[in-house]
Amino acid sequence: MKVTGWGNYPVVEATVHTPSTIDDVKKIISSTDELIARGLGRSYGDSSLNHTILSTLRLNHILAFDEQTGTLTCEAGVSLAEILDAFVPRGWFLPVTPGTKYVTVGGAVASDIHGKNHHVSGSFSNHVHSFKMLLGDGTIVVCSRTENVDLFWATCGGMGLTGVILEATFSLIKIETAYIRQRVIKARNIDEALDYFEENQHWTYSVAWIDCLAKGDSLGRSALILGEHATKDEVGYKYRDPLKIDRPFSASVPFFFPDFVLNTYTIQVFNMVRYASYFSRDSFVEYEPFFYPLDMILDWNKIYGKRGFTQYQFVIPKKSSAEGLKTILKRISESGEGSFLAVLKLFGKQEGILSFPQEGYTLALDFPLTQKSMNLFTELDEIITHFGGRLYLTKDVRMKKEIFEKGYENLPRFMEIKRRHDPQKKFLSLQSRRIGIV
Amino acid sequence: MKYVLILGAGSDIARPLAFLYAKHGYNIYLASRSYDQLVRDAHDISLRFKVDAQAFKFDAADVASHQSFYDSLPYKPIGVITLAGALGDQKQSEQKFTDAKNVIDVNYTGLVSIIHIIAADFEQRREGFIVGVSSVAGERGRKSNYVYASAKAGFTTFLSGLRNRLHSAGVQVMTVHPGFVRTKMIEGRTTPGIITASAEDVARDIFKAQQLGKDFVYSKWFWRFIMMAFTMIPESIAKKLDLK
Ligand SMILES: Cc1cc2nc3c(=O)[nH]c(=O)nc-3n(C[C@H](O)[C@H](O)[C@H](O)COP(=O)(O)OP(=O)(O)OC[C@H]3O[C@@H](n4cnc5c(N)ncnc54)[C@H](O)[C@@H]3O)c2cc1C
Ligand SMILES: NC(=O)c1ccc[n+]([C@@H]2O[C@H](COP(=O)([O-])OP(=O)(O)OC[C@H]3O[C@@H](n4cnc5c(N)ncnc54)[C@H](OP(=O)(O)O)[C@@H]3O)[C@@H](O)[C@H]2O)c1
């Protein structure tokens, strides 16, 4: 069947196996020369693509939960959406969540995903106690900070290239309500935005939406959104059960909706409206529109049509963040290649060997895949490498091997571990071949 | 202590359906032949929703075991939903009666047996709901699956009679008419994307209609109209069509 990533490019013809037991996973692995695991396919590019794909979507059982500590063990195909569904009403939340809840636990570990709380909570692997994985030779191993340590750190962020994650054990965090106390601060330009990030580091969640088309003194004009899980005292009087939000999404949620019209003019208008409509007193919003505004429009990725799109996400180390971001924003605003989704976040330290986050600032921008934007990316790659930064593999679909190698200084260590545990080179993706992990 | 019993719980529709009931506070009994799988599913449901969920071995075709199966349930259920069904292979069914008989037993005879046992209990208690998953296939015979379809037709008629019988006892009997559903039953076959429902869609439709006390539900809803049109084609014309 035809399979593609979230960006709808590339589309490959693949044999997809969807085993429902570990024995079946074993059989598939032993009878296949080369394959890659796949969860919900929310990686943008070719990370979960190959000609043989092992889908984890039928390995989706919750296996254990400790009500005292919030420790959850589940199979790799369980989605974060299912976890929220089951555990938010009981007062538990994900320790780290990306901007969509439709990702699997396996995908969360393999991309070592980050959320708006990276500067406080680190990435997903920081909350993983252990996981069980199947290696290329059919053995099942448990990996943790004390057992098979090298595999643990190579698999967190390892993009499925070390083996198939079968189950993971990780911690949920306690919440009192399903609401977020949100504060919005407008920043006139990038310097102001970075200052606000630094000043507000004590907030658990922070993210800035940047108006990419602002120029000159306004370069990096943005709205910084801060959030904390609301306490019962803060919202309790309003709701009978503040942990339950039963009604489905409505369009009247107090959060803006991206408008998906993609020519430069409307983007400009849209950015202006967005910019002016922020207000800066604390408000209470449901967790879903706070964390997952885009999930309200299922399949919004189809908007870009058949040519596909990509998200260009990079991180630049803190010491050169301001200069680097300015150079890049300037280049983008000059190019007129409007990116309507520009999201800025602050990162803490790196976790896994190939994990994306490193102390600094990360910017994510959506672009349609056109020749013009491809040329722009090549230029941006050089700037990012120059400032010591790197690109996020789970969003990437076009990075060159050289750029990858410069960005990921721990690559030799990863390769050494991969060669040791996957000597037959069973676990490869189209992406891994492109960037030289073969 | 409300329990919902799902018969044929090996179906891909069973889990999303059980999730909905469990989310609304019902305890769950899962029953079919794949016991090991059901044990995993039951454990998962109890962890997700903090309800009691248990697995049982049940074979629709083994009618002799039905009374003892029902008696073995720790608490009598408030509702039962039958998902058990088998498409069989039409060609095999034509050539070997034992194959045809199995299709008929799983889709019809066996369900008559178990549902009558449960109906007697519900009738006496004057409460409960019985949901039977039939199929739009039962509304007109086609050369590609008429053994299966005729068993479903029998089942649909059975349910409507039962509904009439149990109405005065206040027991709800609901017939579900799914169109195409993306499950392992039709795996590998290509069905038109837009009219093919997901297992989750069907589960949601069943749950909603049952809770509203409906007599029947089509899933998805437009199948009611597709079938209306399809059954209006005169037999003299239909017999000449290449119906797949
Ligand atoms: C709208 C949107 C917002 C996003 N926001 C963020 C964000 O804020 N932060 C962030 O970090 N990411 C973000 N992402 C990216 C997303 O979190 C990752 O791509 C994630 O890995 C997707 O999970 P998945 O289950 O869809 O995995 P897939 O896309 O199917 O696979 C991703 C990678 O994980 C590997 N993998 C999957 N399952 C297994 C397994 N069981 N064993 C081994 N390897 C496996 C695959 O081989 C592949 O390399 C976003 C994506 C979208 C679409
Ligand atoms: N898929 C469709 O397009 C479609 C369309 C219309 C109607 N339906 C109906 O929807 C219902 C669910 O089907 P599905 O699509 O989910 O197919 P399915 O996945 O094949 O489920 C049918 C289930 O019935 C169970 N079953 C089979 N023989 C049994 C027996 N002797 N005793 C007890 N249980 C038995 C099986 O579970 P075990 O193996 O565990 O016993 C099986 O999982 C069926 O009644 C089917 O006819 C399906």
Side-chain angles (χ1 to χ4, degrees), chain A residues 245-259:
Chain A
I245 298 171
D246 250 350
R247 74 194 147 73
F249 267 155
S250 61
S252 62
V253 286
F255 201 89
F256 83 91
F257 241 93
D259 176 307

Side-chain angles (χ1 to χ4, degrees), chain B residues 10-11 32-34 59-60 83-85 135 148 152 179 181 183-185:
Chain B
S11 157
S32 76
R33 295 165 310 166
S34 9
D59 185 342
L83 286 165
S135 172
Y148 167 79
K152 287 294 192 187
V181 195
T183 64
K184 61 180 182 297
M185 182 174 275

Side-chain angles (χ1 to χ4, degrees), chain A residues 326-384:
Chain A
K326 268 184 224 167
T327 315
I328 289 165
L329 284 171
K330 215 162 142 209
R331 189 62 204 89
I332 293 171
S333 102
E334 281 164 11
S335 79
E337 288 291 282
S339 168
F340 72 93
L341 249 191
V343 185
L344 182 66
K345 280 185 245 191
L346 174 59
F347 275 165
K349 290 201 170 28
Q350 170 170 8
E351 248 99 17
I353 297 173
L354 275 195
S355 292
F356 168 62
Q358 64 183 148
E359 225 168 344
Y361 283 91
T362 178
L363 189 69
L365 309 126
D366 281 17
F367 287 94
L369 274 173
T370 59
Q371 193 51 51
K372 228 171 124 194
S373 54
M374 291 293 245
N375 296 344
L376 176 65
F377 299 151
T378 312
E379 272 181 62
L380 298 182
D381 287 351
E382 296 300 332
I383 304 175
I384 285 151

Side-chain angles (χ1 to χ4, degrees), chain A residues 20 60-62 82 90, chain B residues 15 40-41 43-44 47-48:
Chain A
S20 52
N60 62 348
H61 291 77
I62 291 178
E82 292 175 89
R90 288 149 71 179
Chain B
R15 270 185 93 206
R40 279 205 313 162
D41 290 348
H43 184 57
D44 169 74
L47 288 170
R48 284 181 199 237

